[in-house]
């Protein structure tokens, strides 16, 4: 990247961190990346120490929600090399979100180079413990200062990194949401935009009050077909096939979802991406045909589902049948830690950045 300026912190906090007890989402590394869109061009790329930023009260992202993000993970190979996992796919998805939210696209090579630079610089922060990783959070938001609904002309794109432990340390319970919806076809469900997560907070709180970790969303038109969990895509393993809802504009195109499908298909497992109704799920559960349910996401990686509740129907899933999800998680983890040959070239060493003397 041309003109990347780097200012290093004088007080790294990395030695204060207990890498054996990492929460998710609370600890940030020393440095952040920023680049600004001035209305015509992306300018002033820089890496600098993490600090609070001041925002004008008329900042348009605060009022009208032009805010998008990505989530990706970096790991360290057994030989100590910092590895990125499929960063180019995140660059493409970020731009798809930008397009839908009427925001400028960031050249894919700028996105990827910025991730290489920041993760390379922060490599000391990459946890070595299984189940932990460096969570990389690229995000972009409107910067115009104006009250009135229109697309902002100016934007800021940033990347921060967080050493994290597991997002779901335990198997989860899902409640099928029958009243509220997450996304309709034609809406913004496929975009990784902040409002999708905000809209899920109230229904999720109601679900939690009933003892459920997350909601399983249904389609907005008929409340019949499963969509996703909001923090994860969802997979149903039947005896002779695995089904995951086809992405139809209302479901996030998960990169872990894609990786899990590729792993299963390479093993000769039939994976069908198609609409899947609750009626079919219950019928096949009652027949003993549905044996395993799991979610996939960058934060969650592969999460086991122990219970799904739909109205008065309760479906429980026995951990003795979780071999498929556990083996997918294991395969992705081993690729990320360089203990299994990366036949599909999913990982790439973080190149780092030239730091000033
Ligand atoms: C991710 O999986 O990276 C997400 O952005 C979802 C959120 C639950 C952290």
């Amino acid at each position: 990247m041309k003109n990347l300026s780097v200012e290093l912190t004088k007080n790294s906090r990395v030695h204060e961190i207990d890498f054996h007890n990492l929460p998710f989402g609370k600890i940030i590394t020393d440095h952040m990346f920023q680049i600004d869109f001035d209305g015509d061009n992306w300018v002033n790329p820089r890496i600098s120490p993490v600090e609070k930023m001041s925002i004008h009260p008329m900042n348009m992202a605060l009022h009208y929600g032009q805010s998008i993000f990505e989530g990706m993970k970096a790991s360290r190979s057994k030989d100590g090399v910092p590895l990125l996992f499929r960063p180019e796919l995140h660059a493409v998805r970020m731009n798809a979100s930008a397009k839908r939210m009427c925001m400028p696209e960031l050249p894919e090579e700028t996105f990827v180079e910025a991730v290489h630079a920041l993760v390379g610089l922060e490599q000391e922060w990459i946890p070595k413990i299984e189940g932990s990783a460096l969570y990389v959070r690229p995000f972009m938001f409107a910067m115009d200062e104006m009250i009135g609904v229109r697309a902002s002309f100016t934007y800021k794109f940033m990347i921060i990194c967080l050493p994290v432990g597991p997002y779901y340390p335990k198997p989860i319970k899902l409640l099928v949401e029958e009243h509220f919806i997450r996304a309709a076809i034609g809406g913004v469900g496929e975009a990784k935009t902040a409002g999708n997560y905000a809209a899920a907070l109230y229904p999720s709180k109601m679900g939690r009050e009933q003892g459920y970790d997350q909601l399983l969303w249904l389609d907005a038109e008929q409340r019949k077909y499963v969509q996703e969990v909001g923090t994860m895509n969802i997979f149903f393993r039947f005896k002779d096939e695995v089904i995951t809802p086809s992405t139809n504009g209302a479901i996030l195109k998960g990169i872990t979802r894609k990786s899990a499908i590729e792993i299963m298909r390479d093993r000769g497992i039939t994976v069908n991406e198609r609409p899947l109704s609750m009626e079919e799920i219950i019928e096949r559960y009652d027949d003993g045909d549905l044996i395993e349910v799991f979610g996939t996401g960058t934060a969650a990686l592969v999460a086991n589902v122990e219970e799904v509740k739909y109205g008065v129907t309760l479906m429980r899933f026995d951990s003795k049948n979780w071999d498929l999800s556990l083996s997918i998680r294991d395969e992705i983890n081993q690729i990320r830690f360089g203990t299994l040959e990366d036949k599909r070239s999913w990982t790439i060493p973080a190149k780092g950045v030239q730091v000033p003397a």
Side-chain angles (χ1 to χ4, degrees), residues 6 20 32 56 60 74 78 91 120 124 131 151 181 187-188 216 222 268 287 306 355-356:
V6 180
H20 292 271
M32 59 190 186
H56 195 276
M60 289 187 81
K78 58 180 186 322
E124 285 292 296
I181 58 147
V188 295
L216 178 55
Q222 303 179 64
D287 289 348
E306 61 181 8
V355 290

Side-chain angles (χ1 to χ4, degrees), residues 323-335:
D323 52 304
L324 179 61
S325 53
L326 294 177
S327 72
I328 295 169
R329 175 156 70 210
D330 195 48
E331 182 161 343
I332 295 177
N333 269 335
Q334 288 209 43
I335 292 170

Side-chain angles (χ1 to χ4, degrees), residues 69 71 135 137 167 192 231 297-299:
F69 65 94
Y135 186 79
R137 168 53 62 89
Y167 193 77
K192 213 161 164 57
T231 52
T298 297

Side-chain angles (χ1 to χ4, degrees), residues 40-331:
D40 293 310
N41 296 300
W42 287 100
V43 295
N44 194 14
R46 57 207 184 275
I47 289 177
S48 56
V50 166
E51 61 178 352
K52 288 196 177 166
M53 305 186 315
S54 73
I55 289 284
H56 195 276
M58 291 198 296
N59 174 284
M60 289 187 81
L62 300 180
H63 297 272
Y64 308 113
Q66 277 184 301
S67 171
I68 59 173
F69 65 94
E70 272 302 309
M72 49 191 289
K73 274 182 177 162
S75 53
R76 201 199 281 261
S77 78
K78 58 180 186 322
D79 313 316
V81 179
L83 296 175
L84 308 177
F85 190 82
R86 312 190 84 175
E88 68 293 344
L89 297 185
H90 290 275
V92 170
R93 191 173 66 180
M94 181 102 192
N95 278 341
S97 300
K99 189 167 176 202
R100 179 64 184 84
M101 301 305 290
C102 206
M103 298 165 82
E105 293 182 26
L106 180 72
E108 282 166 33
E109 57 278 12
T110 307
F111 178 107
V112 172
E113 272 180 55
V115 173
H116 271 282
L118 189 62
V119 172
L121 184 66
E122 302 292 63
Q123 57 183 280
E124 285 292 296
W125 286 87
I126 302 176
K128 298 186 187 78
I129 295 123
E130 158 122 44
S132 301
L134 189 71
Y135 186 79
V136 182
R137 168 53 62 89
F139 57 111
M140 190 205 296
F141 54 97
M143 280 300 280
D144 277 12
E145 294 158 5
M146 202 203 85
I147 298 296
V149 181
R150 64 154 172 79
S152 177
F153 295 118
T154 60
Y155 294 85
K156 188 181 280 295
F157 170 86
M158 301 185 68
I159 309 176
I160 53 174
C161 300
L162 299 91
V164 295
Y167 193 77
Y168 294 118
K170 292 197 312 237
I172 60 167
K173 294 183 168 52
L174 298 179
L175 177 65
V176 181
E177 175 57 56
E178 294 175 80
H179 175 65
F180 295 102
I181 58 147
R182 177 187 172 273
I185 291 174
V188 295
E190 201 169 88
K192 213 161 164 57
T193 184
N196 281 337
Y197 296 81
L201 293 175
Y202 176 68
S204 302
K205 175 174 163 248
M206 313 256 283
R208 261 199 317 280
E209 281 167 13
Q210 294 179 56
Y212 289 88
D213 302 292
Q214 288 288 323
L215 301 177
L216 178 55
W217 298 101
L218 297 179
D219 75 284
E221 291 75 21
Q222 303 179 64
R223 309 283 199 282
K224 209 168 146 188
Y225 297 97
V226 290
Q227 286 187 330
E228 58 155 281
V229 176
T231 52
M232 300 183 295
N233 294 109
I234 190 84
F235 287 80
F236 294 82
R237 177 191 176 196
F238 301 93
K239 282 190 177 147
D240 58 356
E241 63 173 336
V242 173
I243 302 180
T244 190
S246 33
T247 54
N248 57 4
I251 296 175
L252 190 82
K253 286 186 173 158
I255 289 159
T256 314
R257 172 187 183 278
K258 180 176 165 60
S259 305
I261 292 173
E262 287 168 23
I263 286 174
M264 286 187 273
R265 288 190 178 146
D266 283 354
R267 291 184 195 171
I269 296 169
T270 305
V271 184
N272 289 313
E273 298 174 69
R274 67 159 168 89
L276 179 63
S277 69
M278 280 311 301
E279 197 182 338
E280 177 177 345
I281 291 171
I282 291 168
E283 201 176 293
R284 294 177 75 174
Y285 175 83
D286 288 343
D287 289 348
D289 185 23
L290 172 58
I291 51 180
E292 188 179 2
V293 179
F294 57 94
T296 60
T298 297
L301 190 49
V302 179
N304 296 107
V305 175
E306 61 181 8
E307 196 175 300
V308 177
K309 172 107 182 298
Y310 177 53
V312 291
T313 307
L314 187 64
M315 291 174 272
R316 286 187 196 280
F317 299 95
D318 193 330
S319 60
K320 74 175 187 330
N321 294 326
W322 293 353
D323 52 304
L324 179 61
S325 53
L326 294 177
S327 72
I328 295 169
R329 175 156 70 210
D330 195 48
E331 182 161 343

